[in-house]
C-alpha cells in the first residue's frame, strides 16, 4: 500500500448524505416543467455528476432548458435543500485520525464551491480541510477531472503518487484516473460496487473505518 500524503474527498455521498436535499431540489426544478416524480429514488442518479448534464441526460432537456432547471434547483437548494443533509456516521472520527496523522485533506466536489463551504461549516467539517475545490456557478469548472486538477494546481501538488481520491460514484474514480491518481470507491454513498469496480477504483471501502485502515 502506497503512503498517501494528500487525501481528496468528494462531498455528496462520501462525507455527507445529501439525498433528501438534492432530490427535493430536483423535484422542485422538474415541477417548473410540469414533471412529477412519484419515486424519490429515481432521482438518486442526480447525486454526484454535474447537474446541467444530468437534466440533459435523464430528462432530455435542451442546453437552455437545463440551464433554467439548474437555476430552479439552486433556488430551492440555496433556501433549504443544502441543509437537508447529514454527516455519515464515522466521518468526523476518520477525518480527525487522518488529520492527526499529518495527512493533508482536500475536498474535491462537483457541487458549487459557495454551497460546499456553507455545508462544511454548518456540519462542522470545514476545519479538517486544508483546501476546498468545488465547481463554479457558471459551470466553467464542473467536471470532476477539472476540479481535481484545480485542487492539485492550487495546492502545488506535483507528486501524484502521494495523492488519492475518495468518492462514491464513477465520476470520482474516472476523474482521478484522468489526473493519474489512485482512488478509493466507497460503498456507503450512491454508487454500488459494480459501478466503482467497472470504473477502475484502486480500492473499495464499505465504511469510513475501512478508509482509515487503507490510509493509516
Amino acid at each position: 500500500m502506497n503512503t498517501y500524503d494528500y487525501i481528496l474527498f468528494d462531498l455528496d455521498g462520501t462525507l455527507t448524505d445529501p439525498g433528501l436535499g438534492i432530490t427535493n431540489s430536483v423535484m422542485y426544478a422538474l415541477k417548473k416543467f410540469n414533471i412529477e416524480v412519484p419515486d424519490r429514488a429515481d432521482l438518486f442518479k442526480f447525486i454526484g455528476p454535474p447537474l446541467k448534464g444530468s437534466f440533459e441526460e435523464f430528462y432530455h432537456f435542451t442546453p437552455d432548458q437545463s440551464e433554467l432547471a439548474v437555476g430552479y434547483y439552486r433556488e430551492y437548494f440555496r433556501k433549504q435543500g443544502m441543509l437537508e443533509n447529514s454527516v455519515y456516521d464515522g466521518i468526523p472520527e476518520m477525518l480527525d485520525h487522518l488529520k492527526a496523522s499529518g495527512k493533508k485533506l482536500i475536498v474535491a466536489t462537483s457541487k458549487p464551491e459557495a454551497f460546499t463551504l456553507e455545508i462544511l461549516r454548518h456540519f462542522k467539517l470545514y476545519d479538517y480541510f486544508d483546501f476546498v475545490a468545488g465547481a463554479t456557478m457558471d459551470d466553467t469548472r464542473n467536471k470532476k477531472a477539472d476540479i481535481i486538477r484545480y485542487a492539485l494546481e492550487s495546492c502545488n501538488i506535483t507528486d501524484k503518487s502521494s495523492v488519492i481520491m475518495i468518492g462514491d460514484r464513477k465520476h470520482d474514480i474516472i476523474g482521478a484516473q484522468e489526473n493519474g491518481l489512485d482512488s478509493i470507491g466507497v460503498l456507503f454513498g450512491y454508487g454500488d460496487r459494480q459501478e466503482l469496480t467497472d470504473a477502475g477504483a484502486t480500492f473499495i471501502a464499505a465504511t469510513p473505518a475501512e478508509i482509515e485502515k487503507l490510509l493509516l
Side-chain angles (χ1 to χ4, degrees):
M1 176 82 193
N2 189 8
T3 300
Y4 301 99
D5 300 316
Y6 299 92
I7 319 296
L8 275 59
F9 287 91
D10 175 43
L11 176 64
D12 293 338
T14 302
L15 297 173
T16 68
D17 182 354
L20 183 62
I22 287 179
T23 53
N24 279 346
S25 301
V26 175
M27 285 176 173
Y28 176 86
L30 290 173
K31 202 166 183 179
K32 300 288 188 180
F33 295 86
N34 298 312
I35 298 170
E36 298 283 346
V37 182
D39 186 356
R40 182 184 300 275
D42 288 343
L43 301 179
F44 287 159
K45 58 197 173 188
F46 275 84
I47 301 172
L51 270 177
K52 191 170 180 289
S54 292
F55 281 113
E56 291 173 14
E57 180 181 354
F58 304 134
Y59 284 90
H60 309 294
F61 281 12
T62 66
D64 286 347
Q65 286 174 321
S66 294
E67 208 164 297
L68 196 56
V70 169
Y72 290 136
Y73 172 100
R74 288 176 178 165
E75 192 177 291
Y76 181 95
F77 192 80
R78 185 180 286 109
K79 187 178 176 184
Q80 65 191 90
M82 76 171 75
L83 301 184
E84 293 173 334
N85 197 346
S86 61
V87 179
Y88 285 115
D89 289 344
I91 289 293
E93 294 83 356
M94 177 201 68
L95 294 175
D96 199 47
H97 296 156
L98 291 174
K99 191 78 174 168
S101 76
K103 305 291 187 185
K104 299 293 185 185
L105 309 183
I106 297 166
V107 172
T109 174
S110 294
K111 185 178 291 303
E113 208 164 274
F115 293 156
T116 301
L117 291 169
E118 284 194 55
I119 291 165
L120 291 172
R121 288 181 177 125
H122 177 82
F123 290 105
K124 297 180 170 55
L125 298 178
Y126 177 78
D127 288 342
Y128 289 111
F129 295 97
D130 296 274
F131 188 74
V132 175
T136 53
M137 286 288 196
D138 64 1
D139 286 335
T140 53
R141 182 177 70 240
N142 69 355
K143 291 181 180 176
K144 185 52 69 87
D146 294 338
I147 290 159
I148 292 172
R149 190 173 303 111
Y150 166 66
L152 297 176
E153 291 172 354
S154 298
C155 297
N156 297 310
I157 301 168
T158 54
D159 179 8
K160 294 184 176 181
S161 69
S162 69
V163 190
I164 193 165
M165 174 73 205
I166 302 173
D168 69 312
R169 299 297 310 275
K170 65 182 180 181
H171 313 85
D172 302 306
I173 308 307
I174 294 167
Q177 288 175 338
E178 289 180 9
N179 281 280
L181 307 182
D182 285 350
S183 59
I184 299 175
V186 303
L187 299 179
F188 50 84
Y190 288 86
D192 59 24
R193 184 181 293 273
Q194 189 72 52
E195 175 181 336
L196 296 165
T197 302
D198 288 350
T202 314
F203 307 100
I204 300 287
T207 65
E210 285 190 18
I211 296 173
E212 191 177 324
K213 283 181 186 174
L214 286 168
L215 297 175
L216 293 180

